[in-house]
Amino acid sequence: MDEGQLVLIPLCRPNISTADIEAVTEVLRSGMLVQGSKVAQLESAFCDYLGVKHAVAVSSGTATLHLALVALGIGAGDEVIIPALSYVATANVVELVGATPVFVDVKTEDFNIDTSKIEEAISERTKVIMPVHEFGLCSEMDKICEIARRHKLQVIEDAACALGATQNGNFAGTMGRVGSFSLHPRKAVTSGEGGVLTTDDDKLAHSFRVLRNHGIETRDGKMEFISAGFNYRMTDFQAALVLGQLGRFEANLSNRQEQANFYRSALVDHPAYVTPMEFPDRRHTWQTFHLLVNNELDRNGVMNELRAQGVGSSYGAQCIPAVEFYQQKYALDSAKLFPNALRAFKSGLAIPLFDGLSKEENQLVLRGLEAVAAQLRQRTSLI
Ligand SMILES: *Cc1c(COP(=O)(O)O)cnc(C)c1O
């Protein structure tokens, strides 16, 4: 495939208005670039939107997860239960604090942790369950919180992809002890790089604020260095980029749902693709529209052919125990232990769905998918 081929419809494009750009340049002109009033505004906007007591903005989604584990005192000898299917950052942060990730397979219905398999993964070393709300759809948080209560475990929600997603009317990132959001450009609201931690716990929120800023606590106007912290601060011009997007976010969800409805109804009985499911107790935000490519089709081949048709796409998420580092370190047999995560890693296909994508463009994506399936099937049957 020609690498220089022009992709006409990208997988994703951030929703940035002229006013958002002006908000950024205003901060740049002020000369006050680091964490300041815009970061504070972003934090209170998150609190208002999600109905949480505290929101703490940091430099990335990975930093939010890392800080959550550090603030909860998770370290060597501890185990953290995570789904086998996610972005590698979910497992990397567990490694970074010296703890051990314990993988649980996902369900193919929602691509989230299989709650019926969590309890068999709990040991006396388990401290945290860290569910991931994949692709903008909540995990079964009611079940996860109930298991955590029974076994006295903490819940950190990796809601990196799931701003605005709900289960039983509760927002993702507000049901566990800590919620973690990413503001990377692949997510629905972006600061370039950035992340937000949410919690109702005053002490934890204070720890997050201290740890993101070199371990500094301000007492009576005096700075005290109370722990070995990080520099995980967000800049004010990044925060300024987010405020407008967050204000428009809810209003754009209905358009995202319309796009998802279009793809789902057009592809529901398609022999080449398996469409994502919806659940009456959960609101999907469609951060990613994620299909499974039928077993006899090669997903990477589909991606290359789509690119030739001018349609951007990507695989969905990683079967983390099967990537090089985790395979070498833990030598787990993913085909046996995590068949659903492995299938999604090999056959998952994310297709364009973002704010501002037109009906005509949705049609072009669909036509691309149909043409590719027809071509590849013809080629397969010739072999
Ligand atoms: C994007 C993502 C992250 C990492 O967020 P960054 O802001 O890129 O560091 C972590 N977990 C999940 C599930 C993600 O999708």
Side-chain angles (χ1 to χ4, degrees):
M1 196 51 47
D2 177 13
E3 288 289 355
Q5 181 94 36
L6 179 71
V7 173
L8 298 175
I9 304 175
L11 173 63
C12 182
R13 192 189 293 129
N15 176 351
I16 293 172
S17 70
T18 311
D20 297 336
I21 294 169
E22 275 162 16
V24 172
T25 56
E26 192 185 309
V27 174
L28 295 177
R29 281 196 206 93
S30 78
M32 309 284 280
L33 304 188
V34 298
Q35 179 181 293
S37 65
K38 294 293 171 189
V39 168
Q41 274 181 48
L42 167 67
E43 292 176 343
S44 61
F46 260 80
C47 286
D48 290 347
Y49 177 50
L50 297 172
V52 284
K53 201 163 170 199
H54 303 283
V56 179
V58 296
S59 52
S60 72
T62 306
T64 62
L65 295 172
H66 191 199
L67 280 193
L69 291 170
V70 172
L72 288 172
I74 307 306
D78 297 334
E79 292 179 354
V80 178
I81 291 178
I82 62 172
L85 184 78
S86 181
Y87 187 61
V88 283
T90 311
N92 289 349
V93 290
V94 177
E95 293 286 335
L96 282 174
V97 299
T100 304
V102 174
F103 301 101
V104 171
D105 201 11
V106 296
K107 288 200 287 200
T108 40
E109 287 80 8
D110 62 1
F111 301 105
N112 288 328
I113 193 163
D114 186 340
T115 47
S116 73
K117 296 196 170 130
I118 291 177
E119 287 201 274
E120 62 201 55
I122 294 174
S123 78
E124 62 272 28
R125 290 165 173 259
T126 308
K127 293 282 161 59
V128 175
I129 307 174
M130 196 150 83
V132 177
H133 309 309
E134 269 305 336
F135 310 134
L137 179 66
C138 261
S139 301
E140 296 170 301
M141 285 305 295
D142 48 351
K143 291 187 187 156
I144 291 165
C145 290
E146 194 272 317
I147 294 168
R149 254 194 310 277
R150 213 153 9 90
H151 295 268
K152 299 194 167 51
L153 305 175
Q154 310 283 358
V155 176
I156 300 172
E157 292 177 65
D158 183 348
C161 303
L163 181 66
T166 63
Q167 188 196 21
N168 299 326
N170 302 305
F171 277 116
T174 69
M175 293 176 268
R177 180 104 188 272
V178 180
S180 157
F181 296 91
S182 165
L183 300 175
H184 181 273
R186 254 308 267 133
K187 324 297 177 174
V189 167
T190 184
S191 57
E193 300 281 3
V196 176
L197 283 152
T198 50
T199 186
D200 285 330
D201 185 311
D202 299 345
K203 277 209 182 116
L204 265 182
H206 181 69
S207 297
F208 297 154
R209 292 178 191 285
V210 168
L211 284 166
R212 77 171 161 184
N213 189 25
H214 305 291
I216 297 172
E217 186 179 70
T218 309
R219 279 189 220 139
D220 303 325
K222 221 174 132 247
M223 287 202 289
E224 303 290 351
F225 296 86
I226 65 163
S227 62
F230 306 89
N231 177 356
Y232 275 172
R233 294 182 308 248
M234 180 185 280
T235 61
D236 247 23
F237 53 95
Q238 287 174 303
L241 184 63
V242 176
L243 290 164
Q245 293 174 65
L246 192 59
R248 298 189 293 274
F249 178 70
E250 262 301 310
N252 287 329
L253 285 179
S254 59
N255 175 259
R256 298 178 82 95
Q257 182 65 49
E258 274 172 35
Q259 295 185 46
N261 291 347
F262 170 77
Y263 287 142
R264 285 185 71 212
S265 57
L267 293 169
V268 69
D269 289 320
H270 202 286
Y273 306 105
V274 183
T275 50
M277 287 176 66
E278 284 188 88
F279 301 83
D281 64 334
R282 296 182 247 176
R283 179 172 79 167
H284 206 316
T285 63
W286 302 106
Q287 178 265 341
T288 289
F289 192 90
H290 179 261
L291 298 157
L292 287 183
V293 167
N294 211 305
N295 273 329
E296 75 260 19
L297 289 182
D298 166 41
R299 190 267 323 273
N300 292 344
V302 173
M303 276 167 49
N304 286 338
E305 292 293 338
L306 276 175
R307 193 178 172 78
Q309 310 249 353
V311 176
S313 65
S314 170
Y315 72 97
Q318 289 125 12
C319 178
I320 300 175
V323 306
E324 185 173 309
F325 173 78
Y326 292 95
Q327 183 56 51
Q328 286 182 0
K329 182 158 183 180
Y330 296 104
L332 297 170
D333 181 354
S334 289
K336 208 168 120 213
L337 297 169
F338 318 112
N340 296 338
L342 194 62
R343 162 118 164 83
F345 185 32
K346 288 188 169 158
S347 304
L349 180 72
I351 61 169
L353 191 161
F354 52 86
D355 298 344
L357 197 62
S358 70
K359 284 203 170 73
E360 292 70 35
E361 288 170 314
N362 289 145
Q363 287 277 7
L364 286 173
V365 172
L366 178 65
R367 248 178 270 150
L369 284 169
E370 284 172 340
V372 166
Q375 272 174 23
L376 291 178
R377 210 162 336 120
Q378 210 170 27
R379 229 177 280 164
T380 322
S381 63
L382 289 177
I383 294 168

